Amino acid sequence: MEFRFGNTTTIQVNVPDRATLVDSVTRRLAARQGFALATINLDHLVKLQRDPAFRLAYAAHDLVVADGNPIVWLSKLAERPVDLVPGSDLVLPLARLAAETDTRVALVGSTADALDGAARSLVREIPGLQIVAQLSPPMGFAPTGPQADALLADIAASGAGLCFLALGAPKQEMLAARGRTIAPGVGFVSVGAGLDFLAGQQVRAPAWVREITMEWAWRMLSSPRRLLPRYAACAAILPGEALRALAKRRA
């Protein structure tokens, strides 16, 4: 499944399911080969349409999975089906892969408290996991400036081979793309609120809500002032994306 922006940039969901992702990440970690993994959703599509720098960063990612049921639905409309692979669900399984391959892990997030809580949860769940860096950038952090370069250099110097980025889009994806140059031996995984969920800083929707594909409503009700405009923008682009998906099916 792919999304085209103008005549120059195409973003492709190139990892169709979780099994393929686990296989690819396992091979890369075992070979100490860096990568950048993005989890595309409707909010990202809105930002990608508006922000050329974000498009360039996304295009530099090695692996892209479908994070959001609308992306899965669009892929089925286009007859290029992919499975749902939420970014928030990737932290624990990928951290287990890190432990199995003796790969050290770095955590980058919004607050030191969230990182401490996530680290405690991960170490409790995964014996042998080595967390060698916990970095919380200051307010106003730019993912493409000198501060970003210094942070990425710190990650590389820590010996980490896998780094979870929980800074929100577009910061985390732009930082991951820059990391492919500055810390090429590190696998960067953008996980949004994944670390906050582990730390208990945010409460995720119950499993039954996720099963009926209503997690977006749960989240919106938990923070309507912040999320209502975001989801309105997502709803606005969905009809056009559906028409483009149907056009791909005819092609």
Side-chain angles (χ1 to χ4, degrees), residues 35-60:
F35 61 90
L37 165 62
T39 60
I40 197 166
N41 55 39
L42 275 188
D43 178 53
H44 290 189
L45 289 184
V46 171
K47 291 178 169 67
L48 286 164
Q49 289 180 358
R50 298 172 176 173
D51 188 345
F54 190 32
R55 291 199 294 271
L56 287 174
Y58 232 93

Side-chain angles (χ1 to χ4, degrees), residues 102-134:
D102 197 28
T103 301
R104 297 175 178 179
V105 172
L107 307 179
V108 177
S110 56
T111 69
D113 286 345
L115 296 181
D116 286 341
R120 286 193 298 270
S121 179
L122 286 167
V123 170
R124 184 170 59 248
E125 289 280 340
I126 308 169
L129 181 66
Q130 303 175 69
I131 298 178
V132 294
Q134 296 174 213

